[in-house]
């Protein structure tokens, strides 16, 4: 520990909470009472309240050898905002709980919170509560996000109907390839004798950013609203396209056909997959952590969607007995299975 | 692992969530959408929404050598309900996230959830979401609780005024003495050669139950409402009376005097403190985990409070410059310091 670093035990739990939360302004008028009481108080009037939660554990969800704490904080907030947007709602408040082992100093936790604060600023979200604790092992981050949505405007997973068009925002597989690159460079660095060794990430900035600093697609919801398109079902892509398609099919009791050649993939993702001798479509279907929006719209919205920048139509919804399948370039059909990331098998 | 036990990896994350959440009914009409989408949807109409969160880590907050998983689940829910009641609000929904290491089977997690379910049934709360994950080490439980309160009826920590009477429900220090007993019996058991050794808890049931299966004091709020008494400030006692008094004093910018001989203490707590050669008042002031309500009422409510069973008046609020002090039996004053449980020094 250097001279400017502070032991967490010097501050104690309440001192740490005060320090961590003091720079978070209250942005939303719905936030009546934030941090500092038994609970926060929110006033939503006539809107519906939406709530989601995410638990991130060191060694399972993130590896601090190559994930900077500031990025980790940013991403931890974003993944929750993304879930709220995936209901067609607006994130308004978060609570952040952390468990911290003794190898972390106050300055480390400041870095984590500066990332959370940045995300809150950009997306207009208030920090309203949380809990801090010691941990006997690594870092634990639990975030709950609360949002609001006009009554009747929420989009669930369960509303997809046969003939609906399946749409996806952005491109897929980049976050996964970014992770592969980080893991490789980390193991290369570990073998170097030169301690000033720096990995060369030139030309790979996009896939790294997709992994380390993803964004939530609030812009896509705005585009859809401006065009008057209301999705019938929606989900965000956290575990991979395959897994999310199956969630929509199960909740809506439908099947689907998705075209391999329609899946949006960035050039850097493709290059990296080649370098790693990985199947590109598998990476895009099952990679996860893209935080893009997957949604369905009525067939009649086809022309409006076609005009939207950053949205691709990748297939259509079918009757349930047809199941979920990927249509390959040669016209064959492969059943879609959830090969998404399963932390229990990791 | 016995024949009837199931590896968590056999179910996968979604299978585990389905299994854990299927027996939770939706009780509140405000719960529009529960588990199974990106987020839950809650409709509170004209009420204010209240939210609190708690992170519990194995080895810090609980020790599974002597805490049954069912009790742990129950308590994890109760401590959150208690925070909602401490705002004069009603708990309505919870989200539960867990991180589970490989030594836990599905049946273990079922036990944990059966305790959570029991608490939800008794207090009328809906489980509406959560997250499950593998953990590289112990058990991690993160619960967020959402409640509602009629606009203007919430009770914050910040409303105490000089001359207000300080009240506390139930009795204090029992949960702490229960923990001491459990820790002693556990270390005695570890030294026994007889593997069927059973600790003798006869006559100590009350302090054990206070530690293992605390309740949230919804009944006290009902009593106060029936008498037309609206507290000026309120907090639940999780870290100990000293710590909570200081929270109220700081938030309300006041001082306080609390009388040593007025602090409610159960007979079993006193006996146990004697057996352990511990200072009884210290245990009651700083023990924590009582989950009783500490609140202040205007002096004019004095007579109404006097009649209430299970509520004791223990002191009064002063001007801020008088500070916070305990008035001892001999009339001396000892400044109150937060000696509550600090996980970072544990």
């Amino acid at each position: 520990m250097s001279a400017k670093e502070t032991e967490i035990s010097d501050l104690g739990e309440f001192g740490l909470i005060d320090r961590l939360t003091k720079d978070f302004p209250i942005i939303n008028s719905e936030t009546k009472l934030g941090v500092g009481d038994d609970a926060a108080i929110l006033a939503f009037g006539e809107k519906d309240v939406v709530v989601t939660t995410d638990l991130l554990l060191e060694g399972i969800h993130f590896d601090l050898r190559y994930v900077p704490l500031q990025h980790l904080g940013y991403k931890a907030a974003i993944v929750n905002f993304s879930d709220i947007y995936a209901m067609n709602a607006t994130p308004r408040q978060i609570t952040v709980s952390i468990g911290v082992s003794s190898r972390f100093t106050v300055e480390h936790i400041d870095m984590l919170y500066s990332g959370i604060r940045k995300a809150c600023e950009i997306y207009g979200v208030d920090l309203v509560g949380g809990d801090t604790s010691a941990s006997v092992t690594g870092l634990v981050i639990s975030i709950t996000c609360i949002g609001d949505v006009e009554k009747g405007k929420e989009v669930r997973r369960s509303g997809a109907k046969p003939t609906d068009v399946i749409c996806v925002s952005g491109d897929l597989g980049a976050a996964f390839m970014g992770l592969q690159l980080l893991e490789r460079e980390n193991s290369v660095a570990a073998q170097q004798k030169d301690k000033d060794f720096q990995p060369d990430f030139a030309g790979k900035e996009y896939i790294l950013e997709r992994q380390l600093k993803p964004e939530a697609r609030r812009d896509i919801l705005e585009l859809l609203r401006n065009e008057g398109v209301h999705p019938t079902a929606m989900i965000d892509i956290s575990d991979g396209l395959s897994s999310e398609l199956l969630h929509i099919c199960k909740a809506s009791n439908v099947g689907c056909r998705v075209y391999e050649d329609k899946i949006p993939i960035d050039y850097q993702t493709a290059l990296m997959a080649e370098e790693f001798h990985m199947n590109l479509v598998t990476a895009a279907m099952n990679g996860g952590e893209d935080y893009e929006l997957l949604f369905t719209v009525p067939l009649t919205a086809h022309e409006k969607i076609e005009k939207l920048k950053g949205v691709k139509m990748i297939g259509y919804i079918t009757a349930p007995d047809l199941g979920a399948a990927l249509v390959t370039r040669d016209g064959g059909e492969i059943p879609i299975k959830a090969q998404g990331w399963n932390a229990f098998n990791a």
Side-chain angles (χ1 to χ4, degrees), chain A:
Chain A
M1 189 176 295
S2 76
K4 69 184 181 95
E5 289 180 300
T6 316
E7 291 274 12
I8 287 167
S9 57
D10 293 345
L11 294 181
E13 181 180 357
F14 302 122
L16 182 60
I17 292 173
D18 284 350
R19 179 181 169 125
L20 296 176
T21 58
K22 72 179 161 48
D23 289 335
F24 283 79
I26 296 290
I27 301 165
N28 292 292
S29 62
E30 292 89 350
T31 307
K32 275 179 70 176
L33 179 67
V35 175
D37 215 304
D38 296 287
I41 304 176
L42 321 174
F44 286 106
E46 275 308 285
K47 290 188 171 184
D48 280 343
V49 180
V50 176
V51 56
T52 184
T53 191
D54 232 36
L55 178 65
L56 299 176
L57 303 175
E58 185 176 352
I60 301 284
H61 302 96
F62 56 88
D63 187 330
L64 292 174
R65 284 172 304 176
Y66 51 81
V67 177
L69 280 162
Q70 202 165 350
H71 283 154
L72 179 63
Y74 190 85
K75 184 169 173 176
I78 292 295
V79 303
N80 279 281
F81 302 166
S82 181
D83 276 323
I84 298 288
Y85 288 122
M87 302 299 290
N88 198 35
T90 306
R92 300 291 186 190
Q93 290 93 8
I94 54 168
T95 64
V96 177
S97 295
I98 53 166
V100 188
S101 62
S102 58
R103 72 188 157 88
F104 293 92
T105 64
V106 171
E107 286 72 19
H108 288 130
I109 305 305
D110 281 345
M111 297 261 286
L112 179 75
Y113 270 68
S114 77
I116 297 171
R117 192 166 61 245
K118 182 101 183 269
C120 284
E121 273 168 29
I122 292 173
Y123 289 86
V125 174
D126 297 330
L127 178 79
V128 297
D131 199 6
T132 65
S133 168
S135 154
V136 283
T137 51
L139 183 61
V140 175
I141 307 170
S142 176
I143 295 188
T144 297
C145 186
I146 293 149
D148 62 4
V149 59
E150 215 180 299
K151 277 186 203 298
K153 294 292 188 192
E154 80 267 17
V155 179
R156 306 181 183 194
R157 297 177 181 179
S158 55
K161 298 269 179 303
T163 78
D164 279 359
V165 180
I166 301 170
C167 307
V168 69
S169 66
D171 58 77
L172 303 181
F176 176 75
M177 293 315 306
L179 180 62
Q180 304 307 310
L181 176 63
L182 282 167
E183 287 184 344
R184 183 185 71 183
E185 293 302 311
N186 184 62
S187 70
V188 169
Q191 289 158 21
Q192 296 291 322
K193 281 168 188 165
D194 175 8
K195 71 179 177 57
D196 293 326
F197 168 80
Q198 285 290 326
D200 181 15
F201 290 138
K204 288 153 185 167
E205 295 83 0
Y206 178 70
I207 60 171
L208 285 176
E209 187 162 325
R210 292 285 285 173
Q211 170 57 226
L212 292 174
K213 196 168 169 294
E215 298 295 339
R217 299 310 304 265
R218 143 176 85 166
D219 56 329
I220 297 296
L221 296 185
E222 277 167 26
L223 280 181
L224 291 172
R225 270 179 217 138
N226 291 344
E227 285 297 323
V229 176
H230 190 72
T232 50
M234 186 154 57
I235 191 169
D236 74 320
I237 300 179
S238 50
D239 294 332
L241 180 60
S242 297
S243 175
E244 316 306 353
L245 281 168
L246 291 176
H247 280 309
I248 285 183
C249 287
K250 188 183 170 195
S252 300
N253 188 31
V254 295
C256 72
R257 289 297 174 274
V258 164
Y259 294 90
E260 181 184 347
D261 60 354
K262 302 283 189 196
I263 296 170
I265 294 171
D266 185 80
Y267 181 67
Q268 281 189 17
T269 307
L271 274 188
M272 206 68 230
E274 202 175 290
E275 200 176 313
F276 276 102
H277 307 292
M278 279 184 177
N279 183 302
L280 181 57
V281 175
T282 302
M285 290 291 287
N286 302 317
E289 295 201 280
D290 298 309
Y291 302 105
E292 295 294 342
L293 291 172
L294 173 69
F295 56 96
T296 56
V297 298
L299 191 53
T300 51
H302 189 282
E303 282 180 29
K304 285 180 175 174
I305 294 286
E306 214 159 29
K307 290 187 298 183
L308 295 184
K309 220 181 140 181
V311 177
K312 285 272 177 298
M313 293 179 282
I314 60 169
Y316 59 91
I317 296 294
T318 69
D321 49 302
L322 293 178
L326 180 73
V327 182
T328 57
R329 281 168 216 275
D330 60 10
E333 287 194 355
I334 302 171
I336 293 174
K337 287 182 190 145
Q339 289 156 347
W341 181 83
N342 181 345
F344 292 110
N345 290 326

